[in-house]
Amino acid sequence: MTEVKVKKESTDPVDIENRIKELCLQFPHGITDQVIQNDMPHVEVQQRAMAINRLLSVGQLDLLKNSNGLLYRLKDAQSASKVKGSDNQEKLVYQIIEDAGNKGIWTRDIRYKSNLPLTEINKILKNLESKKLIKAVKSVAASKKKVYMLYNLQPDRSVTGGAWYSDQDFESEFVEVLNQQCFKFLQSKAEAARDSKQSPMVQRNSSLATSHEVWKYICELGISKVDLSMEDIETILNTLIFDGKVEMTIIAAKEGTVGSVDGQMKLYRGVNPIIQPTGLVKTPCGLCPVTF
């Protein structure tokens, strides 16, 4: 009869640490203490705790918190080098801010996720700011509140307001100038099409312009101090549509065509309404595409 040998689970501290790191690689979003316990049932609680604390202290693990409790996640080498020498609380706050990305995170949410006192969080934030690891950015959504993000990140448009805001102030004059210039470009195309004396259908097609063409025209004018995207220009064109000055047509386009998205392209045309629209049509509800 062949004797079956059962491999005994190692209780060597190094082996336990290596196994915890292997589990973190299998579950990139993080593992709970229960996962570690299920994988190493013969390892005592104290040994597991010592291994986890050592990995945290040397900056190889991140300590996170979610609705299910604490999570342990393997830290990448670059992040680990940035917070080298920091205590576990500072590493935790840094990780929470890093996870927020370029949308940032409020102090209140940091407090909720870290479960640390507000005074301690403020102290850690000041320390991280002094090291130029994080920065505070004012949000247009709440002028008196700041969000925190990593120092090298460019804030999301939802935080800064994009091209239409400067120091949290809405640039109404700049938007009005863009409105006028976009409409002027479309009007000039429509006039050139009418002057061509061709058939009505050819004239109509000649008066159409893509958002890329309008964007290129605005960029060449040099009236903007910030870099405008095609999305920014389409936002302006949408306001002209709501004002009844521009019409939009969507056509099928080949993949890779400049200005096309998902096989479709938006074309815009300046129009001169025969009669002024009524008050209802000027309201958002009168223009809403949703029907009941």
Side-chain angles (χ1 to χ4, degrees):
M1 184 176 179
T2 306
E3 182 181 358
V4 178
K5 294 183 179 181
V6 180
K7 185 180 178 181
K8 187 177 180 182
E9 199 170 76
S10 174
T11 56
D12 182 78
V14 177
D15 290 338
I16 296 173
E17 290 175 17
N18 289 336
R19 182 54 191 159
I20 291 173
K21 288 191 286 185
E22 288 174 6
L23 288 172
C24 288
L25 287 172
Q26 293 177 27
F27 304 95
H29 295 294
I31 58 173
T32 62
D33 190 64
Q34 187 63 49
V35 172
I36 302 173
Q37 183 180 346
N38 293 342
D39 187 77
M40 295 179 281
H42 301 294
V43 176
E44 295 181 2
V45 176
Q46 187 178 0
Q47 289 177 303
R48 289 202 312 273
M50 288 177 63
I52 291 170
N53 287 334
R54 171 165 166 72
L55 291 172
L56 288 169
S57 64
V58 297
Q60 294 189 32
L61 280 188
D62 281 326
L63 179 62
L64 306 174
K65 180 186 176 184
N66 67 0
S67 56
N68 297 323
L70 295 177
L71 284 177
Y72 304 102
R73 189 171 70 183
L74 200 62
K75 183 189 286 289
D76 62 90
Q78 188 177 2
S79 295
S81 63
K82 288 181 179 179
V83 290
K84 188 176 181 180
S86 303
D87 58 29
N88 289 338
Q89 291 182 339
E90 193 168 295
K91 290 175 183 176
L92 173 59
V93 172
Y94 178 86
Q95 185 59 50
I96 291 171
I97 295 172
E98 185 179 32
D99 290 342
N102 64 347
K103 291 188 176 180
I105 186 169
W106 291 352
T107 306
R108 181 190 62 186
D109 294 329
I110 297 174
R111 183 182 180 185
Y112 171 75
K113 291 188 176 184
S114 65
N115 204 25
L116 294 172
L118 184 58
T119 52
E120 185 67 26
I121 289 173
N122 289 333
K123 180 182 175 182
I124 291 171
L125 291 174
K126 287 181 180 178
N127 192 26
L128 290 173
E129 281 189 276
S130 67
K131 294 178 181 178
K132 292 190 175 181
L133 293 176
I134 66 168
K135 62 183 176 182
V137 180
K138 290 183 179 180
S139 173
V140 294
S143 58
K144 294 183 179 180
K145 291 185 179 180
K146 296 182 292 185
V147 294
Y148 291 89
M149 63 185 67
L150 296 190
Y151 188 81
N152 61 338
L153 291 182
Q154 184 70 24
D156 187 75
R157 291 168 60 91
S158 62
V159 177
T160 62
W164 320 131
Y165 283 81
S166 176
D167 296 328
Q168 291 189 301
D169 294 326
F170 181 67
E171 296 284 352
S172 57
E173 292 182 4
F174 175 54
V175 172
E176 182 58 31
V177 169
L178 287 176
N179 263 281
Q180 293 172 0
Q181 292 301 325
C182 288
F183 183 55
K184 180 181 177 182
F185 174 74
L186 294 174
Q187 266 191 324
S188 64
K189 285 210 71 169
E191 289 173 2
R194 283 194 297 270
D195 294 341
S196 65
K197 305 298 182 181
Q198 300 186 63
S199 66
M201 185 59 70
V202 174
Q203 287 185 31
R204 185 182 185 280
N205 292 339
S206 299
S207 66
L208 295 169
T210 65
S211 54
H212 181 266
E213 289 177 298
V214 182
W215 169 80
K216 186 178 178 182
Y217 169 76
I218 295 297
C219 290
E220 289 174 351
L221 283 179
I223 58 176
S224 175
K225 295 180 182 179
V226 296
D227 292 332
L228 296 173
S229 65
M230 284 217 314
E231 185 183 353
D232 293 328
I233 296 301
E234 287 184 0
T235 302
I236 295 295
L237 291 170
N238 285 337
T239 63
L240 291 171
I241 292 171
F242 296 147
D243 289 339
K245 296 179 179 179
V246 170
E247 289 180 349
M248 182 184 70
T249 304
I250 299 177
I251 63 169
K254 292 181 180 180
E255 291 293 335
T257 305
V258 178
S260 66
V261 178
D262 297 329
Q264 293 184 332
M265 181 181 288
K266 296 176 181 178
L267 298 175
Y268 300 88
R269 182 171 74 95
V271 294
N272 293 313
I274 299 173
I275 59 173
Q276 289 298 317
T278 62
L280 175 62
V281 177
K282 289 183 178 179
T283 64
C285 293
L287 292 165
C288 181
V290 179
T291 56
F292 296 93

